[in-house]
Amino acid sequence: MRILLDNFSKSFGSTKVIENMKLEVGSGEMLALLGPSGCGKSTTLFAICGIHRPTGGRILFGDRDVTDLPSQMRNVGVVFQSYALYPHMTVAENIGFPLKVKGVNAADIRKEVERISGLVHIGNLMERRPAQLSGGQQQRVALARALIRKPDVLLLDEPLANLDAKLRLEMRSEIRRIQRETGITAILVTHDQVEAMSMCDRIAIMKEGEIVQLATPADMYNDPRTAFVAGFLGNPPITFLRGVMKEGSFAMPESEIRVPVSIKAAEGTKLTLGVRPEHFNPAGDVSVVGKVTFAETQGRENLYDVQIAGGSLLRSIQPVRNDVTVGDEVKWAIDSKGVFVFDDDGRRL
Ligand SMILES: Nc1ncnc2c1ncn2[C@@H]1O[C@H](COP(=O)(O)OP(=O)(O)OP(=O)(O)O)[C@@H](O)[C@H]1O
Ligand SMILES: [Mg+2]
């Protein structure tokens, strides 16, 4: 089921949170709403769900205008960060509850509960109560409960935020598998870029109530339109250098660094250079001397912060090596093919 936000706006009193948002989520697609705290992700999701009434614009499911429909008539499945299972009910009763409310008979409920619990792999937990489950198991129950009514749309707001790192990893791929198997159209709200990149077909990056870029994870990473987007994706994050255009290169007044850039800008134009950590290492083409101020091993890779002339930092990620520690001077190099150039307002050039 396609979801369309047509000039959707939402204010709380005089506070405008979203203004004229346009967004189309394709049928069967999983889309991430990604952005910093307070940018309006949940507000958007709540409006799609029917909890918030838009101040302006329309919301369509397929060709049907649902703007004025109450939540329970929209046929949406919802999973939030706190999954709020009913503590006194068993797992089976929790999952079957939405059907019971609808008046479905006991035999049919049992059949559906069995089907859906198989899908989310909790068939062996049916008689337990929520308190007797791990966080990941509880989240699976919440997901099963959201899916049992065969919703047209699945809405997820930070569903993994309460889980520990290992469970988060496991549930990331599980939610994606279930979304694919059911073919349901899904929107995932998150401020975790790794979650958005790994789980979704496309990502909408939001800033202050606006979608600033909408693209596949790969396009978003390789072709960010702004410094904000470039800074939001990538772990460890990109580093930025400030400089000016000089004779076809990015130049820093405080250092000898000259990075050839293939953009058109007048001499002296202020530029920001974005360098991802994988593009600063011994193999690059533009030599840079600096001092290691931070070193950390991440198991398979090492992470370094290197302070260069003028005090700016460059970050480097490299296969594990034991010959460099904090305080060392290094001569590594920027891969000029991998850099991004932005103007003074953060727009990509
Ligand atoms: N019921 C409300 N009344 C007034 N202001 C609200 C209300 N709900 C949200 N806001 C404001 O709207 C803005 C967006 O909030 P929203 O909850 O959508 O952010 P978010 O992107 O989900 O952030 P987070 O990542 O922290 O969950 C915030 O400035 C928030 O204070
Ligand atoms: Mg939120």
Side-chain angles (χ1 to χ4, degrees):
M1 178 78 72
R2 172 192 75 144
I3 304 170
L4 184 71
L5 302 189
D6 180 19
N7 284 316
F8 159 63
S9 301
K10 180 66 189 173
S11 305
F12 295 103
S14 59
T15 314
K16 291 179 176 157
V17 178
I18 312 281
E19 271 189 282
N20 297 323
M21 181 189 281
K22 295 176 193 66
L23 175 67
E24 182 166 356
V25 188
S27 187
E29 183 178 27
M30 180 145 175
L31 179 112
L33 287 179
L34 176 68
S37 188
C39 71
K41 305 180 295 293
S42 295
T43 302
T44 305
L45 200 79
F46 288 178
I48 297 169
C49 170
I51 296 172
H52 286 337
R53 258 205 83 139
T55 325
R58 299 185 308 155
I59 298 172
L60 278 80
F61 287 179
D63 293 324
R64 192 165 66 122
D65 189 332
V66 299
T67 316
D68 296 319
L69 279 189
S71 194
Q72 64 272 21
M73 292 181 67
R74 292 190 186 193
N75 200 23
V76 291
V78 183
V79 179
F80 293 138
Q81 175 176 349
S82 60
Y83 13 91
L85 301 175
Y86 309 111
H88 57 284
M89 293 185 195
T90 65
V91 166
E93 286 164 348
N94 263 282
I95 297 172
F97 190 70
L99 296 186
K100 194 170 172 195
V101 171
K102 258 175 98 181
V104 177
N105 72 62
D108 286 344
I109 293 179
R110 208 174 312 122
K111 217 163 65 198
E112 278 307 293
V113 167
E114 206 165 290
R115 178 184 69 83
I116 208 83
S117 56
L119 177 73
V120 303
H121 297 168
I122 46 170
N124 54 334
L125 304 173
M126 287 298 110
E127 296 315 313
R128 297 223 196 144
R129 286 177 206 279
Q132 301 166 314
L133 301 175
S134 74
Q137 290 166 337
Q138 290 185 41
Q139 194 59 302
R140 284 171 194 265
V141 176
L143 203 56
R145 190 179 55 181
L147 289 169
I148 197 159
R149 273 187 307 176
K150 301 201 175 86
D152 295 321
V153 166
L154 180 64
L155 304 173
L156 307 157
D157 192 348
E158 305 271 5
L160 309 180
N162 280 344
L163 304 181
D164 66 38
K166 189 165 168 285
L167 266 181
R168 234 183 350 246
L169 198 73
E170 175 186 317
M171 285 308 288
R172 262 190 347 224
S173 54
E174 277 296 277
I175 290 178
R176 180 57 160 164
R177 173 185 66 78
I178 292 160
Q179 185 268 332
R180 281 203 169 115
E181 277 183 35
T182 53
I184 194 168
T185 308
I187 300 182
L188 170 75
V189 160
T190 179
H191 54 249
D192 180 343
Q193 50 108 12
V194 180
E195 227 168 85
M197 299 264 286
S198 62
M199 291 173 70
C200 293
D201 298 300
R202 286 192 303 161
I203 302 174
I205 294 198
M206 290 181 65
K207 183 187 180 191
E208 293 162 12
E210 267 181 55
I211 293 176
V212 291
Q213 191 167 346
L214 177 64
T216 64
D219 285 350
M220 194 76 91
Y221 190 80
N222 296 319
D223 193 15
R225 303 319 304 161
T226 61
F228 175 80
V229 170
F232 217 87
L233 290 191
N235 186 28
I238 196 167
T239 40
F240 296 106
L241 301 178
R242 305 213 173 271
V244 294
M245 188 74 183
K246 191 174 181 185
E247 293 159 4
S249 288
F250 166 90
M252 291 178 76
E254 318 87 335
S255 79
E256 300 299 303
I257 296 176
R258 298 282 180 276
V259 184
V261 288
S262 55
I263 55 148
K264 286 194 176 58
E267 280 297 285
T269 305
K270 282 187 183 164
L271 301 175
T272 298
L273 193 77
V275 185
R276 291 213 191 272
E278 60 269 33
H279 295 134
F280 177 57
N281 55 52
D285 56 316
V286 178
S287 285
V288 178
V289 178
K291 191 171 163 183
V292 176
T293 58
F294 173 83
E296 181 182 89
T297 181
Q298 304 200 325
R300 219 170 332 139
E301 286 160 325
N302 282 2
L303 184 63
Y304 302 100
D305 280 353
V306 175
Q307 191 167 43
I308 64 173
S312 299
L313 277 190
L314 280 172
R315 194 165 290 132
S316 176
I317 191 148
Q318 300 177 31
V320 166
R321 53 189 291 170
N322 299 314
D323 56 335
V324 178
T325 55
V326 172
D328 287 357
E329 183 156 294
V330 291
K331 188 177 178 192
W332 290 339
I334 294 171
D335 173 5
S336 64
K337 299 273 182 301
V339 301
F340 299 126
V341 190
F342 304 96
D343 70 12
D344 213 26
D345 296 323
R347 275 187 298 259
R348 177 99 170 279
L349 294 170

